[in-house]
Amino acid sequence: MRTKNAELMHDLRMPLQLICSCGQLLEEEVGENERAQEYIKMLLNGAAEMQRMLSGALEASRPGADAVRFERVDLISRTWEICARCQLYAGRKDIRLGFHANADRLELALDEEKYTRILMNLLSNALKFTPEGGRVRVQVRALGDFVEVRVSDNGCGIAPDRIDSIFEPHETDGGYGYGLYIARAYAHMLGGELRAASEPLHGSAFTLRLPVRSVEAAQRAADGMAERTELA
């Protein structure tokens, strides 16, 4: 299965590169049309992010390469960039996508690719299950030795009998149910946890809690976790 996935990811690089090339050509053609330039910029940013994720996935598909790689990242700036990328889709659904942080800057050890995938999964679900005219809010809170990133919405919510199983891989309406499963797995790899709370018909909230550590300490903890997993 790993080999087949790697082959598929490798083959996806060509059509993705074509999308990038066409977007760059369109950028030259539209001239001073600011609205068109805005759409093209978002298309190119999205395609570039997909290329980065695809490269990371190809690297991770190699035997023994599924590792966490920490670096110093400004969590607030990165979270804002991800939210900004989703603004166009939110606007088309008439959903208010808000962002708030209790600090201007917050640097911590992070695997940027894995954090991006966690937050994109949470935002994708929130925007998918929030009706037109609704709201989605992303909050970042520095809490001393920890930081919390909370994605909440006022959508349809989750039934009480499903709240304990939503992080398990299974088929769902309109999808395959792997997004939250991957998000929680990545949260654990980053040394944190991902929790959910919901009230049917009133919305859901997902809270990612991460430790504030040095890159060295975070990497040691992640390497130790990988070794214990291999031995289990």
Side-chain angles (χ1 to χ4, degrees):
M1 181 64 73
R2 180 186 288 268
T3 302
K4 289 294 184 182
N5 287 341
E7 290 175 357
L8 175 60
M9 288 183 290
H10 183 274
D11 290 343
L12 284 172
R13 292 190 303 174
M14 182 59 73
L16 187 55
Q17 182 57 52
L18 180 60
I19 291 172
C20 292
S21 298
C22 290
Q24 292 165 353
L25 290 172
L26 283 172
E27 193 173 30
E28 298 175 2
E29 293 291 333
V30 298
E32 301 299 321
N33 188 321
E34 293 184 2
R35 194 64 172 170
Q37 287 283 0
E38 179 185 354
Y39 291 153
I40 292 170
K41 182 179 179 181
M42 296 189 74
L43 183 151
L44 289 173
N45 286 343
E49 183 65 30
M50 288 177 66
Q51 284 182 318
R52 192 173 70 84
M53 293 174 67
L54 193 58
S55 296
L58 279 168
E59 180 66 26
S61 69
R62 298 177 181 175
D66 190 14
V68 186
R69 294 175 176 81
F70 285 96
E71 59 183 324
R72 204 74 181 167
V73 176
D74 179 5
L75 181 72
I76 293 175
S77 175
R78 183 57 183 154
T79 304
W80 164 250
E81 290 171 0
I82 297 169
C83 290
R85 192 183 308 156
C86 297
Q87 282 288 357
L88 179 60
Y89 178 72
R92 285 189 172 277
K93 285 192 67 177
D94 193 27
I95 293 174
R96 289 171 294 153
L97 175 55
F99 174 81
H100 174 76
N102 68 350
D104 294 328
R105 186 175 181 84
L106 179 60
E107 290 193 351
L108 74 161
L110 204 63
D111 183 312
E112 193 168 354
E113 187 274 331
K114 288 179 173 56
Y115 173 71
T116 298
R117 191 160 181 188
I118 293 171
L119 189 54
M120 286 297 291
N121 273 322
L122 297 181
L123 278 170
S124 175
N125 283 345
L127 292 169
K128 177 180 178 180
F129 293 109
T130 299
E132 291 187 6
R135 59 166 177 77
V136 172
R137 191 178 189 194
V138 179
Q139 296 169 281
V140 180
R141 294 196 302 161
L143 302 170
D145 292 336
F146 289 87
V147 60
E148 286 188 349
V149 181
R150 186 172 186 265
V151 179
S152 60
D153 63 69
N154 64 345
C156 60
I158 303 166
D161 61 348
R162 288 197 58 222
I163 196 69
D164 292 331
S165 63
I166 57 173
F167 292 104
E168 297 299 323
H170 61 283
E171 290 194 5
T172 59
D173 293 338
Y176 294 98
Y178 284 101
L180 290 176
Y181 170 73
I182 292 171
R184 173 171 273 188
Y186 279 1
H188 289 164
M189 293 172 75
L190 296 180
E193 60 178 352
L194 180 61
R195 304 189 302 260
S198 184
E199 184 178 351
L201 304 180
H202 293 280
S204 304
F206 289 82
T207 303
L208 173 65
R209 185 176 174 90
L210 296 170
V212 177
R213 304 174 292 181
S214 68
V215 171
E216 293 76 17
Q219 196 66 60
R220 282 197 302 270
D223 293 343
M225 182 188 299
E227 289 177 6
R228 289 192 297 272
T229 301
E230 290 177 1
L231 293 173

